[in-house]
Amino acid sequence: MSLDLHIFRTLSDNAGALIFDPVTKACAAVDVPDAAPVLAAAKAKGWTISDIFVTHAHHDHTQGVAELKEATGAFVCGPADAADSAPLDRILGEGDRVELGNDSFEIWHTPGHSNGHLTFASIGAKLALVGDVVFVMGCGRVQPGQMGAMWTSLDRIMALPDDVRLITGHDYTLSNARFAIAMDPANAALKARYAQAEAAKAEGRFWALTTIGEEKATNPFFRAGEAALAAAVGKAGAAPGEVFAALREAKNTF
């Protein structure tokens, strides 16, 4: 794990994220909900932002990109549909690669939450930037008619090795944990993580970093293939994608 990470709160619950290569000193900001706290975080760490990685076009992830680029001269890359809200220097799509220092990220098109949503995945760095597809113990809202696409995106991310770290787009951790425990009440690992989420909220700690292995153990949407989750939404014996859709609909009204 050659890359250093710094994850912090921006706006009310958005994640600010900086990725730093200590060898080359390259530093990427992941999405920019608000330029000021990102600049302050980089200054506090002594890092100079060289790149901006945009996962998707939603305004709360792009509204600070122009200001941050103007302040730093950073090279901005992201999906084509973000070009209207962020000054992209390079448009990325499925199968492209992006370098940061000595590491490389493969670009995956992971739609469902938004049409052009991208995931930046690096097996070597054990890191994936998943935007609003995955949250700690949760997943993003799904566009109308896009449940199948969202499940395909999640299923692809779930296939990453268990030790891959995920930088997610928001801290909805406690509300996600409450839904997860309601769906999967016998899950011992989830009970422990739910207690951790309550403690983090009480202490004001920001929580938007997780791993594939932790999500496999506790995230109901990652566990859509488990019989207990299928039963919880009245879908015993159904395909995981169908169970996922039922779980997501249940979360919408939880």
Side-chain angles (χ1 to χ4, degrees):
M1 297 184 185
S2 58
L3 297 175
D4 293 337
L5 308 180
H6 180 43
I7 317 296
F8 49 93
R9 186 186 308 278
T10 64
L11 303 180
S12 61
D13 52 45
N14 279 75
L18 296 173
I19 310 170
F20 179 71
D21 182 338
V23 176
T24 67
K25 310 303 182 185
C27 178
V30 183
D31 297 332
V32 191
D34 184 1
V38 177
L39 285 166
K43 182 177 181 180
K45 298 292 287 187
W47 299 345
T48 300
I49 296 171
S50 56
D51 298 86
I52 300 171
F53 296 160
V54 177
T55 64
H56 65 293
H58 288 169
H59 189 62
D60 65 323
H61 290 255
T62 61
Q63 61 189 4
V65 173
E67 182 180 344
L68 187 63
K69 178 177 173 61
E70 183 176 358
T72 63
F75 187 88
V76 184
C77 55
D81 62 353
D84 290 339
S85 55
L88 299 182
D89 297 301
R90 180 185 174 192
I91 292 175
L92 300 174
E94 172 69 33
D96 287 336
R97 299 197 76 88
V98 172
E99 310 295 325
L100 183 69
N102 292 321
D103 285 287
S104 176
F105 291 84
E106 183 178 350
I107 304 304
W108 296 353
H109 181 217
T110 49
H113 178 73
S114 72
N115 290 334
H117 199 295
L118 302 177
T119 290
F120 295 61
S122 175
I123 300 297
K126 299 183 178 180
L127 180 64
L129 321 178
V130 294
D132 284 3
V133 176
V134 181
F135 301 133
V136 179
M137 291 178 277
C139 75
R141 288 188 177 272
V142 182
Q143 293 184 99
Q146 295 295 309
M147 282 291 189
M150 187 69 159
W151 172 247
T152 298
S153 296
L154 274 173
D155 196 41
R156 188 176 186 184
I157 292 168
M158 286 161 53
L160 288 165
D162 284 0
D163 60 354
V164 169
R165 299 164 293 172
L166 306 178
I167 296 178
T168 73
H170 292 266
D171 179 0
Y172 301 143
T173 305
L174 182 55
S175 63
N176 288 342
R178 287 171 175 157
F179 174 73
I181 204 76
M183 296 295 104
D184 199 9
N187 184 332
L190 177 55
K191 289 177 183 177
R193 214 170 187 215
Y194 179 36
Q196 292 169 358
E198 288 186 311
K201 184 71 171 182
E203 296 165 11
R205 287 186 281 115
F206 188 77
W207 189 356
L209 183 68
T210 186
T211 67
I212 291 289
E214 288 171 316
E215 295 311 303
K216 283 182 179 178
T218 61
N219 189 323
F221 303 109
F222 274 45
R223 294 170 54 77
E226 299 289 328
L229 276 300
V233 288
K235 294 290 183 179
E242 186 178 346
V243 175
F244 162 74
L247 284 165
R248 185 59 254 189
E249 291 290 359
K251 179 64 165 66
N252 290 342
T253 58
F254 183 74

